[in-house]
Amino acid sequence: MKTLIYQFWKGEIPDYARLSRRLFRDYADRHGADYFFEENPTFFTGKYAEYYHAVRPVWDPDFHNYDRVIYVDADVFPKDNASGEILTTPVNHIGMVEELAQPQLRKERKSPIRHSNDMRWGAFGSAFFHATPPRTADRSPRVFNSGVIAYTREGMMAAYQHFPQIRTYVMAMRVAILPRFYRLDQNYLGISCFRAGMQFTALEQRWNRILEQGDIGEDYRAKETKPDTAFVHWQVRNRKEISERQILDLVASA
């Protein structure tokens, strides 16, 4: 199989993103994959371009030369012992990791990212784009995180045919009077991957272990260690204040 690890950054690259780039370049070398990091990409332009380059493998036919493309956010880090199985594990068209706790957490929020807006997003996506995004037992839309995305060649080509144009999707979310969050790449994928002609795979949790501030102790280690963790997604504020050593120790502890 011909495989690729793909990352990008728009703007000045912070130290933590440079670390992610270095670690994933090494990871790709260890597991026989090509590696591509693009600085200040221009494939997409416009207001949300800095996010939508995560779906560039769909719209750029150059990526379709690969059997599999793994897109990884620049705040994700591979553990030293991370296997290369994500490059070969069975995936239908596109795969992402589910954020299992999010539907319930969003019921408790009053912020723009909340249950009522999720329901409006799901209903509008179904009506306008004829999508069938999956739901939990209580009918809340399930949430899939775009920090790690596995694209198969068949998936990229199918998405090129079946995904709505990004501009159309963004405009639709504005018409729905939904906040900015719902106009970005993750929610675009959450609708587009569940249109007719598309097949989706929920990746194992180990490929996108999300750590938020509450998951990190005072010693800047993960409060809970999960032995099968492969990739750690570091979603905290004030990241520029954290040293490389602290990030590496955090990743190792996850």
Side-chain angles (χ1 to χ4, degrees):
M1 287 180 66
K2 187 178 180 183
T3 56
L4 174 72
I5 305 291
Y6 162 55
Q7 296 182 285
F8 76 90
W9 189 269
K10 200 166 183 66
E12 183 178 353
I13 304 176
D15 289 342
Y16 69 82
R18 294 181 187 277
L19 175 61
S20 177
R21 177 175 64 180
R22 189 179 84 219
L23 294 179
F24 271 108
R25 182 186 291 118
D26 291 346
Y27 175 87
D29 287 344
R30 286 198 306 275
H31 298 294
D34 291 344
Y35 179 79
F36 174 45
F37 184 101
E38 187 168 23
E39 186 175 351
N40 292 316
T42 58
F43 186 83
F44 295 119
T45 58
K47 188 172 183 179
Y48 303 121
E50 64 183 289
Y51 299 96
Y52 273 99
H53 280 86
V55 298
R56 179 175 171 181
V58 169
W59 298 110
D60 185 348
D62 286 347
F63 284 82
H64 302 179
N65 294 317
Y66 285 93
D67 297 296
R68 183 164 301 186
V69 175
I70 307 300
Y71 166 75
V72 188
D73 274 355
D75 59 357
V76 177
F77 307 88
K79 296 194 74 169
D80 287 344
N81 63 350
S83 77
E85 292 176 11
I86 195 170
L87 298 167
T88 58
T89 193
V91 173
N92 287 320
H93 283 163
I94 295 173
M96 294 188 289
V97 170
E98 185 171 3
E99 295 190 66
L100 297 170
Q102 279 297 309
Q104 182 58 41
L105 289 173
R106 294 182 185 188
K107 288 182 179 180
E108 303 163 7
R109 289 178 182 163
K110 295 183 179 179
S111 67
I113 307 171
R114 62 179 184 262
H115 176 71
S116 60
N117 281 335
D118 281 0
M119 295 296 287
R120 185 175 180 83
W121 166 82
F124 203 84
S126 296
F128 196 88
F129 295 107
H130 307 290
T132 55
R135 295 177 180 266
T136 64
D138 69 356
R139 303 301 298 159
S140 298
R142 291 163 64 187
V143 177
F144 298 92
N145 187 276
S146 61
V148 177
I149 310 169
Y151 295 97
T152 64
R153 174 185 285 157
E154 295 79 10
M156 290 182 282
M157 295 176 71
Y160 189 88
Q161 181 178 356
H162 298 294
F163 272 25
Q165 293 293 315
I166 292 170
R167 185 172 296 179
T168 302
Y169 172 80
V170 171
M171 185 176 297
M173 293 302 105
R174 286 177 177 153
V175 170
I177 319 176
L178 281 165
R180 174 179 178 273
F181 173 79
Y182 294 90
R183 304 172 192 175
L184 305 182
D185 61 301
Q186 180 166 297
N187 287 285
Y188 171 76
L189 287 162
I191 291 294
S192 303
C193 286
F194 300 100
R195 300 187 80 200
M198 296 304 304
Q199 299 174 27
F200 183 81
T201 297
L203 298 177
E204 294 177 359
Q205 293 288 308
R206 61 181 170 138
W207 297 115
N208 190 355
R209 168 83 188 282
I210 295 173
L211 292 182
E212 297 180 336
Q213 196 64 54
D215 302 314
I216 301 171
E218 293 182 4
D219 60 353
Y220 223 80
R221 303 289 196 281
K223 292 180 179 178
E224 180 184 3
T225 297
K226 296 184 178 181
D228 66 342
T229 297
F231 296 169
V232 178
H233 195 170
W234 184 48
Q235 292 191 320
V236 301
R237 295 180 179 179
N238 302 319
R239 291 186 284 197
K240 293 181 180 180
E241 300 174 4
I242 306 302
S243 70
E244 178 177 310
R245 183 70 266 163
Q246 286 177 297
I247 298 172
L248 291 171
D249 288 345
L250 174 65
V251 170
S253 72

